Structure formats: structure tokens, C-alpha cells
Amino acid sequence: MASEIQINPTAYSLFLEMPALEDIIDCFPLTVTPDTPLVDAIALMSQMGGNIELFPNSNLEQASCVLVVDESQLVGIVTEHDVVKLTARGVDLGRATVAEVMTQKIIILKQSQAEDVFTVLSLMRQQQIRHLPIVDERGKLLGLVSSDHAIAALQQQLEQQTAELRQATEDIERRVQERTTELCQVNAQLQQEIEHRKQAEQERQQLLIQEQVARAEAEAAKNRIFNILESITNCFFALDSEWRFTYVNQQATRILQRTPDQLIGRNVWEEFPEAIPLTFYREYHRAVAQQLNVEFEEFYPPLNIWVEVHAYPTVDGLSVYFQDITERKQAEAALRQSEETARRQLAEIEAIYATAPIGLCFIDTELRFVRINEQLAEINGLSVSQHIGRTLREVLPDCSEELEPLYHQVIQSRLPILNYEIQCTTFAQPGIERDWLISLYPLKETDEQVLGVNVMVQEISDLKKAEAALRQNQQQLEAIINNSTAVIYLKDIQGRYLLVNHQYESLCHLTNEQIQGKTDYEIFNQKAAEAFWANDQKVIAAKSSITFEEMVPLDDGTHTYIAVKFPLFNTAGEVYAVCGISTDITEKKQLEAQFLRAQRLESLGTLASGIAHDLNNILSPILVVAQLLPFKLPNLNEQNRELLTILENNSKRGAELVKQILSFAGGAEVKKFPLQLKHLLKEIRQIVTSTFPKSIEIRTHIPTQNLWVVSAEPTQIHQVLMNLCVNARDAMPNGGTLSMIVENFCVDENYARMNLEAKQGYYVLITVSDTGCGIPPELLERIFEPFFTTKEPGKGTGLGLSTVIGIIKNHGGFVEVYSEVGKGSQFKVYLPACDTEVTEENNDFEISEGNGELILIVDDEASIREATKTSLENHNYKVLTANDGIDGLALYIQYKNEISIVLMDIQMPAMNGLTAIRILQKSNPSVKIIAISGIASNQKLLETNDICVQAFLSKPYTMKKLLNTIADVLTRT
């Protein structure tokens, strides 16, 4: 009988065994302390690492990492990959320690948690790491597992178990064959023994079942190995002896950009023919032929990647592990490029130091010279070698106290200081201070640590002098432009303003910034803007200066300006702007008109004088004959006597008319003697009170004492006053107020400058004003012309005012007129006072001096404002000026506690005086205000609007009148 078949169970169990942790752990890994220099750690890795005896087939020539251990506790890890990264970033490996560069957040595995190599490899793949430290329950380092070692151990275990499986299979097959042979012999020998055959068949069936179980278990072990290969981070594929793919893991298909179905069963060289001329073909064949493990790096152009390959020959063919190292290669290339760039930059720095026209140096954090060029060495007065190693204080003792804080600031803040100006002496020029411009730049390592300071030095002494001269020239030019009384402006060829001076700003009540970019159409009305534009275009076309007379509409009316405009050219010779200088000649034009009117009146007076002389020659015999005939012809009837009476009366009227003409022409003989006008005013008041309509209110102000005496002909002055009163009556057909005021008045130089006909001296001023219809501005210039009248025919001869002006001029005086349509007229008659009387009463009108009080003048007339300001300052007052109510309010708010009195003009643009006075009194009820106006009726307007002021002055006023009024207001409580 045949013996029972026995199957060794260990032949099957070995396919289920995986390498234990003890089989793959390196119990003696490379370890260093945290303070170990990085270069020492790199050198240690370059030597044989780990316990190679545990991995005789690994063929490792150097360790790929070191563990950082502090008092048996694992605190970090440094890998060769970390070293490559640090090199690519330009870190100085010679200065760094392990603690500065190690990876502190490390992944570890406790020994109790490590079931087998599959557990270890899964954790490493999950965390994407190649090194896994193993510790005990107390965290003490036991060893290190690397992916390469684990994979090699797995490969070795796989090969061992595959060999054992193959041996077991062969043993089974041999045993089956032997058993089959034996059964055949038994069958042949015991054909008669059916029971024995059945037993043999049963044994055979049992053997087949065991074989199937063994194959299933082998397949399961193979699948488990494949699962492990799928979980690793490296790429893996297996080739048979015909170079056909038998297995490809997921990482390999991703890198090779093929699916498993596209590769399994296909020849590697047919699928990747581009690899034949490369290292792949040669090394794979060498590994198979010589049964050697091979390692190499190669670039594969079709996939544009660098790979690191580990190939291991097997019984069936070749197992290949590879990984993508493109990033590492790129980092190495970047490192080489950065090194080349550093060498090139160093060469450039050398060239700059040698050729730079300015001083250059490098100073370390201890403020010692490390490098300096010849230019700066010459500036400091020492050689290059004398600078090296010496401190800043030793080289520049005179300016080190100022410079050292700057260097420390740059080192600590890591920020540069640019264009710092300093003035000091050097050894090159002792005792001579020069101006220098320095810039300090920190030199930083990759970790932002400052190594020192790069310095640039340039002498700017000549530049500073040139800048000072340029600034002085600019200030002088700006002062000339902005203090000029002329309006100066600059416009581009599109008419947009580029620049205006202060005079222009004050006229338009706009700032330079508000005017810039605007055109005349945005500032003035269309008519004026079109005229300005046309003149500008003429200048651009002519390419030369042209003088224009331009009418400019302003807040107080239209002004006449003489404008000199000239073009500005660019480097190409093209006109790019127009500059204008305009001077206000309005007052000059008015004076010219006044002078022409005076000449015209003088001519008319000369003509009238001639006519009066001829009429006197004609009327004299007629009147004599008319008076003689009644005596010569006593028998004339009544009708003829009436005719002679008519002739005499008309001759007398003609004679009176001639007297008026002679008075106007100044040709009539006037007998003057001292006259007290207050008596004459009282007489006129009685006449007009008794003869004028009751609807006209008569007001007079006649001082009882100290009124000066004039030298005048009473009848003519009586005629002057009556003519003015009659004209006032005719101007008020529906009633009104007639005022007559007489007062002493002194015309000073300031007043005389504002009135062409006035002369400096003492006068008695008679003011006759009404609240009638007023005189239109276009007629105001002609009212003193002979025979000019606005009255209906038969109601006026046109000689009333011409007689007034003639008489007053003949007395050495002058007349001023102020009128506003709808509000009334005011005539001011100035008669020179007698010298003797003035001398006696002069002490009563001494000029009052100020005590440094601050006076605010608010007036839109620049000439009056500036003349008054100058006069007040000459009499010990401080003055602020404003050109309208808004500016006046702003100044008063700013200097409220310092201003003693406000001089406020009533009629102004933007905000009139009445509104400004109300706001001032609301802000400060105790403010002292002197109101000013050229129309006497404005004083009544103040009363009508219930506005109380401390005093009222009529324009034009003398300085004595103003000073005495201010002194009077200041003394009031």
C-alpha cells in the first residue's frame, strides 16, 4: 500500500507573511544634535549611513537624512531634499546650524502601532514622506524606516516567498506526479481491488483541492503585494524576460501617461522607442545580463521629465522603481544659474567700484569699513587700505555723531535711507565744511539678516549753491509777479489758464488752483471771453507781442485794461502759450474824461464869455435908450409907454442872463470879502421853507461855533445855493427831503490825490442833498454844460448848474456830485477858508495819533483801501484790509479779540456793507463800526434798516476827519 501524502503547512503560510518591523528598521540611524553645523550633518550623510548589514542588497552609498535628537528625544529631521532646497534659495550652508534648517514638524510611528511593512508604507504614502522614525511608548527613538529600505525588504521578501511558492508548487507537482505514478502502479497491480482504487482517487481529489487552496493563497499573497506596490509613492513596473509589461502601478501610469491596459503585455521598447538610445536600454540589459541592481538618472524628452531609476533583476525578468526628479533638477539648475548670476553681479560690482564717479563703500554691522572705492577714499583723504577695518568714527570723526545713528537705523529697521544731506569736514580738506548727499542701503541675507550697509556718497556743494541761487531767482521772480499791481497770467493755445498772479486772484475772487485749467468763457461773460480769445489768436498768429485795450467786466463794473500779450515758444519754435500783462487804466481813463470835460467846459466858458461880451455891447445902448425915452418923450401915450417898459424889462433880463454867462465864464468881476456862511444858510433855509411845497421836508445842520470864514461874494454864493435848492425841489415833484449841511473840511494830500480839481488846504463844505429821482450816469457828465437841461421846454435855461460851477471855480473852489437813480443826488460845494481864520482855529483840529490799535478796513476800491491803510499806519495804527464783506468777516473772526474798529464801506460786491455790519454785530454786539459811503443818503439808509454804527463818513473824506472820527469812537465807552 502506498504511504499517506503529507503536505507541509509551512509551504503555504510563508505566502502570508510580511517583513516584520525589525526587518526594515535601521536601529542605528544617523543622529545629530540641534547645534551641529549643517555642513557636518551633510558630510555625515555623505558617508555610509544606517546599518547596511540589515540591507545587504540595498546598494546604498550614502544616507539620505539625519535625525536631530536632543537628550534622547527626537526634535527634527534634515533630508537631502531639504539641503537641495536651501542651496537653491541661496542660503549660506557654511553658516547655518541644523536647528535653523531642520523640519520640526515630523511624522513618527510608535512601535506598538507598527503591524508590518504594509502599515509603515501606507503611513509614509499618506504623509508623502520617505523617512519614518520609530519610537517607543515614551517617545524614545528606536530607529528609522526609509521607503527605499522598506521597498527593498519587501522586494526581497517577495522574491523569497515567490521562490518558496515556486518550490512548494514544484514539490506539490513532483509529489502529485509521484503519487500519480504510484497510483497507476497500484491500479495496474490492484485492478482487482476496487476499494483501493477508490481510496486512491479520493486521495488524488484531496490533493487537487489542496493544490487549488495553495494556488488561491498564493494569488492572495500576490494581490496583497500588488496593493502594497499601489500604495507606495514611487513608480513601479515589472517586465518579463521578453521585455513585456506584466505589472504597472498607479504612480507609474500617471507619469508614463498610459493606462494599465495600454501597457500590460506590450513590449517596453516598442511602446517607448525613444528610450532605446538613452541610458534606459543599456542599463536594463546590463541588469538582466549581469544580474545586477542598477541606479541611474536620465532625462526623457517625450515626457519632458527627469527620472531617478532603480532596476532589480528577477527570475521572471526585471522590476523597476523610478521617481520624478524634475523639480530637483530644476532647483539644481536654478542654483547653478544663481551662482553664475552672483559671479556676474560680483564682476559688475567690481567694475562699478572701479569706474563710478561717486563714492561707494560697504560698512559692516560694527560700522567698520569692509570695502571702499578710490573716489570715496580720495574724498575722505585716506587711501583705500587705510580705510579697511577702521570704524566710521576713526575715519570721519567730525560727522560720526550724525552718521552713526543713521547706520544703526538702517541695520535695525532693514530699510534704506535715501538722499540724506550732511555738512561736514574730512581729512582731505580739514576746516572746510562741504555738503554731501548720502544714501544707505541694507545688505540682507536670504533670512533677512542684515550683513552691513552699502553707501553712496556724492558731493553737492556746488549743486546746493546753484539751487540756492535758483531759489532766490525764483523767489525774486515770484515776488515781482505777485507784488506787481499789473494782472499777469499765462494761457495755453487752447485758452486754458496755466498761471495767474495774486492781483488776478483778487480781481476774480478765485485762487490760482481754481483758475488753472479754466478758460475765459468759464470766468467772464461770453462777449468779454470772445474778445479775449480773438486777441490771443492774433498774438499766436503774429508770433510777436501785441498791445490791446481790453474791457474787463468785474464786480464793481467794467474796467479798462491795457494788455501786453506775447507768445512763448517751445524748443521746436512753436507757440505753446500766451503770456499777458494787463494794467488797469480805468482811473486814468476817468481822469482823462474828467480833464476833457473840464477842457470842454473851459472852451464853452470862453465861448460864453465872448458871447456875453458882445451881448453887453448890444444890450447897454438898448437899455439906456429904453430908460431915456420916457424923459425925452413925455407925451407918449400909454400904449407906447407899455412898449418901452417891456423893452426895459427884457433888456434887464438880458443883462441878468449876461451876468450868469459871465459868472459861468469867470469873466465877470467879483468883489470878495470875508463871509460867514452860516448866516447865508439860515437865510436860504427861511426862503425855501416859506416858498417850497409842504411835501418837501427841510433839514439843515449849521454849527453855531467855530465855522470858518470864506472870502466870497454873498450874492453869487446866494445864487449858487438857490440854484441847487431849486434843482433839488424840481427833482422831488412828489415830495421828499432836502438837506443842507455846512462844516469845516481839510483837504489833505490823500484826498487831493483822489480828486483832480481839489487842492490841499482848508475849506468850508456845503452839502445840498435830496431824495429825488436822481441823475442817470450817462447824463451826469454833462450837467455842468451851458444850456444843457433835462427839464421840459420853457422850464429851464440850462444855465443853473453851469452858473454854479462858474461861480465856485471863480472863488477857487470845486464841486462834487454823487447821484443814484431813484435814491437822490448830493452836491458838495467846497469854498476855500480864509487863512487868518484857519490859523486861529487850527488848534481845535489837531490830528489824533493812534496807540497801536488794530483797524480793519473793508472797501472794494483798492486805491482808497491802500491810501487809507498807509495813512493810518503813518499815524501809529495797525491795519488789516479786506476787499469785500466776506473777506472782512473772515479776518474779523480770526482777529476778533485784537480789532478795535471796523471801517466798513456800504456799497461793495459779493456782500454789501449793510449785511456785513449785521453779521458783525450779531457775532459781537459791542463791535465798533464806522460806516463809509460816497452817497450821504446811505446814512439814512442805515437808520431805515435799524442799523446803529458809531460814526458815518462821506466820501471823499480827509485824513484829519478820519483820524479824529476814529479817536472819537475809541474814547467812547
Side-chain angles (χ1 to χ4, degrees), residues 19 60 62 276 280 286 368 474 569 619 694 748 876:
L60 298 175
Q62 66 176 43
I276 295 176
F280 302 100
R286 186 169 71 90
R368 293 184 180 276
Q474 289 177 338
F569 300 93
L619 290 174
K694 300 302 181 182
D748 58 8
N876 201 24

Side-chain angles (χ1 to χ4, degrees), residues 115 142 210 214 252 352 390 404 499 502 643 674 756 862 898 917:
E115 298 176 0
L142 298 177
Q210 291 177 349
I352 292 172
R390 299 178 70 178
E404 285 179 352
L499 174 70
H502 292 341
L643 291 175
L756 186 64
E898 303 174 33
I917 290 172

Side-chain angles (χ1 to χ4, degrees), residues 606-641:
T606 302
L607 176 62
S609 178
I611 294 173
H613 177 73
D614 292 338
L615 287 175
N616 276 332
N617 290 337
I618 295 171
L619 290 174
S620 294
I622 294 175
L623 183 58
V624 171
V625 170
Q627 293 174 344
L628 289 176
L629 280 177
F631 297 98
K632 296 292 184 179
L633 301 171
N635 297 325
L636 289 175
N637 56 30
E638 189 65 26
Q639 183 179 5
N640 289 330
R641 287 184 179 277

Side-chain angles (χ1 to χ4, degrees), residues 140-156:
K140 182 176 180 181
L141 178 65
L142 298 177
L144 176 70
V145 176
S146 69
S147 60
D148 292 339
H149 289 173
I151 293 170
L154 184 62
Q155 176 67 23
Q156 182 179 1

